[in-house]
């Protein structure tokens, strides 16, 4: 393992006093126990790990080692990344129909690391088929749904390991349903709601259907859990967020929040705060126990200034409390960039990201620092103009929940 020891020394050896480059004796690295080396590698950021896989055959094979992947799950620090996908500038229905007709290959996922303010590019086309769009994400898994109208096919993908699981098609045909997804160490739940195709030319928001799998209890329910949506609802097709065993999504005309209790298999409505004066409301999750509502407030009376505000759903799940308001100077910048086109929000831990429709601009809020800031300029060019849709993404080398489904894995090229 001569090559590996010298490369590792170069990777981990650093400069010290006087700016001298100090390299550790290769004999030290050569004699380190394999378990200790694996522990160090498991602590590395995903990008660093994949760069070091070329050092030797053993390190390359670690991605297929159950013991190493288990160590990575236990030891690797959690990273609050945001994954963005470029959407077509066409209307939603037109974009879906065009994508289904032409089977456009998937564009790369664009990863933003808020901690370092850097963008990363994550190619997907080499192992995911065309005709699918990102719909939800959780626990290192990104959920993709087929664009073609009809019974929906869902793919669960770990983009780092290139592990892809194919769920059975849904029994009910839909056009562009709202999608919610959550995954734990040994379980997953997926929900598709609304846009029921009652004929080739008409849709209605009538039902939702769920897919559940739990490896600990052996429970497996493939699309057999069907529930009726509340009357006079219009779910936002962007996404559902999950918190405390409940999925939440926005409903428009009038604005309300729909809540789906997974255990009880029942839907309910929650009144939105200041709903008569909200513009472009959307939901985001903060951790696993808080749901946020983000919206512009536009009231004609001067006593209530225009702003973008953030509310948190209280434990009673019936009331909202305002927790943040965009400062006036930041709001002026945001308002100029947004131009009334609308926006969406995505949350991951203490990070809240807001994307502007028809733009690739992203503004971030850090709850820990109480700081609003613009993300660095979008670095990747594309021949397709459009806007960004964001998802909470935590990079993980191993995602055991995917193993609950019959899956196929492609090796890295």
């Amino acid at each position: 393992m001569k090559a590996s020891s010298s490369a590792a020394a170069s990777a981990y050896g650093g400069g010290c006093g006087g700016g001298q480059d100090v390299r550790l004796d290769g004999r030290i690295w050569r004699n380190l126990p394999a378990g200790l080396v694996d522990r160090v590698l498991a602590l590395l950021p995903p990008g660093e790990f994949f760069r070091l896989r070329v050092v030797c055959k053993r390190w390359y094979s670690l991605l297929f080692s159950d013991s190493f992947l288990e160590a990575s799950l236990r030891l690797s620090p959690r990273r609050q990344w945001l994954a963005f996908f470029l959407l077509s500038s066409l209307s939603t229905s037109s974009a879906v129909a065009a994508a289904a007709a032409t089977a456009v290959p998937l564009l790369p996922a664009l990863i933003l690391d808020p901690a370092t303010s850097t963008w990363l590019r994550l190619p997907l086309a080499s192992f995911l088929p065309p005709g699918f769009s990102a719909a939800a994400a959780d626990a290192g898994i990104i959920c993709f749904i087929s664009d073609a109208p009809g019974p929906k096919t869902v793919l669960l993908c770990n983009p780092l390991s290139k592990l892809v699981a194919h769920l059975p098609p849904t029994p009910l045909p839909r056009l562009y349903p709202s999608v919610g997804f959550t995954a734990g160490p040994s379980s997953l739940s997926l929900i598709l709601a609304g846009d029921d195709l009652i004929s080739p030319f008409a849709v209605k928001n009538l039902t939702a259907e769920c897919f559940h799998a739990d490896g600990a209890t052996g429970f497996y329910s493939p699309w057999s859990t069907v529930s009726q949506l509340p009357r006079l609802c219009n779910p936002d097709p962007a996404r559902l967020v999950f918190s405390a065993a409940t999925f939440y999504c926005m409903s428009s005309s009038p604005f309300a929040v729909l809540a789906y209790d997974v255990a009880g298999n029942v839907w309910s409505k929650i009144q939105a705060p200041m709903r008569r004066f909200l513009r472009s409301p959307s939901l985001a999750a903060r951790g696993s126990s808080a749901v946020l509502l983000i919206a512009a407030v536009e009231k004609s009376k001067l006593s209530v200034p225009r702003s973008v505000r953030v509310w948190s759903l209280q434990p009673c799940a019936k009331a909202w409390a305002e927790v943040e308001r965009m400062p006036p100077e930041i709001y002026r910048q945001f308002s100029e960039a947004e131009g009334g086109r609308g926006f969406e929000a995505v949350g991951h831990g203490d990070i809240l990201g807001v994307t502007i429709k028809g733009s690739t601009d992203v503004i971030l809020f850090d709850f820990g620092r109480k700081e609003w800031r613009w993300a660095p300029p979008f670095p990747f060019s594309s021949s397709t103009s459009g806007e960004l849709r964001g998802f909470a993404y935590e990079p993980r080398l191993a995602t055991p929940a995917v193993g609950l489904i019959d899956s196929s894995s492609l090796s890295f090229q």
Side-chain angles (χ1 to χ4, degrees):
M1 195 169 163
K2 184 177 181 181
S4 64
S5 61
S6 61
S10 176
Y12 293 105
C16 57
Q20 296 179 350
D21 185 14
V22 178
R23 295 177 181 270
L24 296 179
D25 190 335
R27 291 173 295 180
I28 298 177
W29 291 97
R30 189 181 302 117
N31 294 323
L32 282 178
L36 181 58
V37 174
D38 291 355
R39 189 180 182 88
V40 172
L41 294 175
L43 289 167
L44 291 177
E48 296 296 329
F49 168 76
F50 282 107
R51 277 190 283 272
L52 287 178
R53 287 183 74 213
V54 302
V55 167
C56 64
K57 290 182 178 180
R58 183 180 179 279
W59 287 14
Y60 187 87
S61 65
L62 286 177
L63 192 61
F64 312 104
S65 166
D66 291 341
S67 59
F68 175 77
L69 294 178
E70 182 181 351
S72 177
L73 282 174
R74 289 188 292 103
L75 302 174
S76 181
R78 298 292 181 245
R79 292 172 173 83
Q80 297 176 0
W81 288 4
L82 299 175
F84 295 94
F85 291 83
L86 194 65
L87 303 180
S88 170
S89 57
L90 300 172
S91 66
T92 298
S93 58
S94 299
V96 171
T102 57
V104 178
L106 277 168
L107 293 174
L110 307 167
I111 308 297
L112 177 61
D113 181 357
T116 60
S117 293
T118 55
W119 287 94
L120 306 170
R121 190 182 181 94
L122 194 60
L124 301 169
S126 63
F127 57 95
L128 283 174
F132 284 79
S133 297
D138 189 38
I141 302 170
I142 300 179
C143 171
F144 294 87
I145 188 170
S146 57
D147 297 321
K152 291 296 182 178
T153 299
V154 178
L155 306 179
L156 303 182
C157 167
N158 180 337
L160 294 186
S161 65
K162 296 186 178 180
L163 190 69
V164 181
H166 299 247
L167 271 64
T170 62
L172 299 178
R174 301 181 186 275
L175 180 60
Y176 192 53
S178 301
V179 181
F181 174 69
T182 182
S186 61
S187 65
L188 61 88
S189 293
L190 183 72
I191 180 171
L192 272 59
D195 254 14
D196 303 62
L197 274 169
I198 59 175
S199 79
F201 311 102
V203 296
K204 282 189 177 181
N205 296 309
L206 300 175
T207 64
E209 49 194 337
C210 294
F211 184 104
H212 301 288
D214 190 329
T217 63
F219 179 73
Y220 183 76
S221 176
W223 304 120
S224 60
T225 306
V226 179
S227 57
Q228 299 295 317
L229 292 175
R231 293 182 65 252
L232 303 178
C233 71
N234 186 22
D236 181 352
R239 70 179 69 82
L240 288 88
V241 301
F242 183 79
S243 177
T246 304
F247 283 103
Y248 299 88
C249 70
M250 288 301 306
S251 176
S252 59
S253 303
F255 290 131
V257 177
L258 303 181
Y260 172 68
D261 182 340
V262 177
N265 191 31
V266 294
W267 289 84
S268 60
K269 281 186 179 181
I270 303 172
Q271 181 173 304
M274 301 181 69
R275 68 183 188 279
R276 292 175 56 194
F277 310 105
L278 297 185
R279 182 175 64 82
S280 199
S282 62
L283 298 177
R286 184 185 178 190
S288 59
S289 58
V291 175
L292 305 175
L293 189 150
I294 303 90
V297 174
E298 297 182 350
K299 191 175 181 180
S300 58
K301 294 183 179 180
L302 296 178
S303 59
V304 180
R306 294 188 176 189
S307 60
V308 170
R309 305 188 189 185
V310 182
W311 293 268
S312 178
L313 184 62
Q314 298 304 286
C316 64
K318 294 182 179 180
W320 300 85
E322 184 176 326
V323 294
E324 186 59 39
R325 187 180 301 188
M326 191 177 287
E329 179 59 31
I330 298 294
Y331 175 72
R332 281 192 290 270
Q333 299 175 13
F334 177 80
S335 181
E336 291 177 4
E338 188 242 350
R341 297 189 302 271
F343 55 89
E344 292 181 351
V346 57
H348 194 182
D350 281 342
I351 299 298
L352 181 69
V354 180
T355 58
I356 297 173
K357 293 184 178 180
S359 168
T360 55
D361 292 331
V362 181
I363 190 168
L364 304 172
F365 177 68
D366 189 321
F367 282 94
R369 298 181 178 181
K370 296 293 182 181
E371 174 190 40
W372 290 91
R373 70 180 190 274
W374 290 94
F378 187 68
F380 306 115
S381 61
S382 173
S383 58
T384 304
S385 61
E387 63 199 50
L388 297 177
R389 174 157 294 166
F391 302 91
Y393 175 64
E394 180 184 313
R396 295 187 183 183
L397 298 180
T399 48
V402 175
L404 298 173
I405 316 298
D406 291 336
S407 56
S408 60
S409 176
L410 300 179
S411 61
F412 281 92
Q413 299 178 353

